[in-house]
């Protein structure tokens, strides 16, 4: 039996190296292109996160033609905060039946936009000064739709508990098996696409009821024969995901943790399962004091530390005590299962969203 467990640990470690691919967004300096760029930012209760993003947009070497912040019925000073930066602020109309809050906000921003190139950004995203230039250049080179998985900036202890979940998210987009996936999604925090391609698939209006709008948007592009390319954002695109506290982080990850697996290639899922299983075996076996298990635990810690260098600042202690992040991962999965399969709805930013229909209550 121990030999089998050692084998699972080794297979898990190898699976991690198969899944993880460094594909950083290539940095481009100077300005890029003459197309008018429209930046669209859906924002609900984002008064504390918007300033960092809007400041970073003002420092870009390639200036957007317009920046549109869509206030999604915020209960704080999101609208007033955006107006101080002189950007276009749109108040989303009342949410119609059959739409989720985010898809409705993005769609209203798109309707008001006039650019040839559309860049959709989450409000918690931050950009280095060459980020827009790099994104536009990558779009020209790759064509189709391009998204970037931001480097995960963390500050507080509870934020670093997301380490394993952050890596699993990276695996889902950088896995070589996803090149074969006809349902390959985009990463919603940072998406760049031409207006022509967006119009061709009907944009967010065609996925209006989907809670996982970014994954479904990517699938629609692929189905239309429009390529989808995903990069990692180290050095250029960053975010701090859940600064609002532990419950905010739990709700944020749980809303799509289980449902998102339906869009991932089966080979990617199999490799992820091997990685998680090997990690769990190393953690449980380490407490036995058996040298092989301890070695496996430390090898996983080293692997995670290496991956983190390219994906997020999770420090040294969290990779070393990775069982803490694994416990958080298991809590998120259980809570996500409860919401998606028993309650049939998820709670996010003051709204209940019916699973499968995406209709807000």
């Amino acid at each position: 039996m121990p030999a089998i467990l050692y084998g699972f640990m080794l297979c898990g470690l190898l699976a991690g190296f198969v899944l993880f691919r460094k594909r950083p967004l290539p940095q481009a300096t100077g300005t890029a292109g003459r197309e008018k760029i429209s930046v669209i930012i859906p924002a609900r209760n984002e008064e504390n996160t918007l300033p960092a993003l809007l400041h970073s947009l003002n420092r870009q070497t390639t200036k957007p033609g317009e920046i549109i912040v869509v206030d999604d019925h915020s209960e704080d000073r999101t609208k007033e905060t955006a107006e101080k930066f002189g950007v276009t602020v749109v108040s989303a109309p009342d949410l119609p039946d059959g739409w989720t809050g985010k898809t409705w906000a993005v769609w209203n921003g798109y309707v008001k936009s006039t650019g040839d190139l559309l860049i959709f950004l989450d409000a918690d995203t931050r950009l280095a000064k060459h980020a827009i230039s790099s994104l536009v250049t990558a779009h020209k080179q790759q064509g189709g739709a391009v998204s970037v998985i931001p480097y995960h900036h963390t500050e507080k202890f509870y934020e670093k508990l997301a380490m394993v979940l952050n890596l699993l998210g990276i695996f889902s987009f950088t896995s070589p098996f996803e090149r074969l996936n006809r349902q390959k999604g985009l990463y919603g925090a940072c998406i760049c696409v031409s207006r022509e391609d967006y119009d061709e698939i009907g944009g967010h209006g065609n996925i209006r009821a989907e809670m996982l709008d970014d994954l479904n948007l990517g699938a629609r592009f692929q189905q239309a024969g429009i390529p989808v390319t995903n990069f990692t954002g180290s050095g250029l695109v960053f975010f701090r995901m859940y600064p609002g506290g532990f419950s905010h982080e739990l709700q944020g990850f749980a809303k799509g943790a289980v449902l998102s697996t339906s869009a991932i290639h089966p080979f990617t899922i199999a490799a992820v399962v091997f990685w998680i299983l090997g990690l769990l075996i190393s953690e449980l076996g380490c407490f036995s004091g058996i040298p092989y298990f301890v070695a496996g635990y430390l090898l996983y810690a080293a692997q995670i530390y290496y991956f983190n260098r390219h994906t997020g600042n999770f420090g040294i202690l969290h990779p070393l005590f990775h069982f803490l992040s694994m416990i958080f991962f298991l809590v998120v999965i259980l809570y996500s299962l409860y919401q998606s399969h028993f309650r049939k709805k998820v709670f996010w930013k003051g709204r209940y969203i019916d699973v499968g229909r995406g209709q807000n209550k």
Side-chain angles (χ1 to χ4, degrees):
M1 180 62 74
I4 295 175
L5 297 178
Y6 302 152
F8 271 117
M9 283 195 300
L10 179 59
C11 288
L13 285 163
L14 293 175
F17 286 116
V18 169
L19 288 164
F20 181 75
R21 290 289 184 272
K22 290 188 291 183
R23 198 179 189 191
L25 179 67
Q27 179 169 312
T29 57
T31 59
R34 297 182 178 180
E35 306 99 329
K36 182 178 181 180
I37 301 169
S38 295
V39 173
I40 299 168
I41 307 165
R44 177 173 169 83
N45 300 334
E46 299 285 3
E47 67 169 314
N48 294 321
T49 56
L50 263 178
L53 171 57
L54 297 178
H55 274 303
S56 70
L57 283 168
N58 286 337
R59 296 195 299 266
Q60 294 301 301
T61 53
T62 294
K63 303 295 184 184
E66 59 187 0
I67 300 171
I68 301 171
V69 174
V70 185
D71 177 33
D72 180 17
H73 304 277
S74 297
E75 298 164 340
D76 62 4
R77 295 181 58 81
T78 292
K79 181 178 180 181
E80 293 80 1
T81 300
E83 288 174 339
K84 291 179 182 178
F85 286 85
V87 301
T88 301
V89 181
V90 175
S91 295
D94 290 341
L95 186 64
D97 290 341
W99 288 77
T100 66
K102 183 177 180 180
T103 56
W104 180 239
V106 172
W107 181 255
N108 278 275
Y110 158 73
V111 169
K112 296 291 184 181
S113 70
T114 58
D116 306 303
L117 203 58
L118 307 174
I119 296 179
F120 302 103
L121 298 174
D122 281 356
D124 57 6
T125 307
R126 307 171 189 178
L127 306 175
K129 66 179 182 179
H130 297 303
I132 296 293
S133 294
S134 302
L135 194 57
V136 172
T137 299
H139 176 265
K140 284 183 176 180
Q141 294 172 346
Q142 301 294 329
V146 172
S147 79
V148 179
I149 310 159
Y151 182 88
H152 193 158
H153 175 74
T154 63
E155 295 183 8
K156 299 180 180 179
F157 179 86
Y158 78 86
E159 294 176 68
K160 297 181 188 296
L161 293 175
M163 181 180 69
V164 166
L165 282 160
N166 185 66
L167 286 178
L168 294 178
I170 296 287
F171 290 165
S172 299
F173 285 90
T174 65
S175 164
F177 305 121
E178 293 308 304
R179 298 172 191 167
L180 310 173
N181 188 358
R182 294 295 300 167
Q183 301 296 316
K184 181 168 64 173
L186 291 160
Y187 201 91
C190 180
I191 296 174
C192 179
V193 64
S194 71
R195 189 178 207 91
E196 180 181 359
D197 286 342
Y198 186 79
D199 286 342
E200 182 174 338
I201 67 160
H204 284 76
N206 224 356
I207 55 166
R208 65 189 67 186
E210 300 292 348
M211 184 178 63
L212 303 176
D213 57 291
D214 47 359
L215 298 180
N216 285 280
L217 192 69
R220 292 299 177 106
F221 280 120
Q222 294 247 111
Q223 290 162 13
I226 298 169
V228 167
T229 307
N230 296 305
F231 294 97
T232 54
S234 180
L236 287 169
V237 183
F238 313 82
F239 59 16
R240 184 183 176 198
M241 292 187 74
Y242 302 116
F246 179 80
S247 63
H248 188 223
E249 181 172 62
L250 176 60
Q251 290 170 6
F253 279 112
K255 71 180 186 292
V258 172
L259 295 175
S260 62
T261 58
S262 63
I264 301 173
H265 194 280
F267 288 174
T268 298
I269 293 177
V272 165
V273 168
F274 268 107
W275 189 79
I276 293 173
L277 188 58
L279 182 59
L280 276 171
I281 290 171
S282 78
E283 290 169 347
L284 294 173
C286 183
F287 292 104
S288 70
I290 298 175
Y292 285 113
F293 286 119
V294 174
Y297 182 96
L298 293 175
L299 285 171
Y300 262 105
Q303 185 187 62
I304 290 170
Y305 180 77
Y306 168 72
F307 291 162
N308 286 346
R309 291 178 59 192
H310 306 282
T311 61
N313 68 319
F314 293 93
I316 297 176
L317 289 180
H318 279 263
L320 187 59
F321 297 99
H322 49 72
F323 64 89
L324 295 174
S325 188
M326 176 57 75
I327 291 171
F328 179 66
F329 162 73
L330 294 174
V331 170
V332 167
I333 291 299
L334 289 173
Y335 185 44
S336 185
L337 279 169
Y338 164 70
Q339 291 188 106
S340 61
H341 287 75
F342 294 96
R343 193 165 65 181
K344 301 294 184 182
K345 59 180 65 178
V346 301
F347 183 76
W348 180 238
K349 291 193 175 181
R351 288 182 173 136
Y352 282 101
I353 306 175
D354 290 344
V355 173
R357 290 180 296 166
Q359 185 175 345
N360 290 78
K361 300 295 187 184

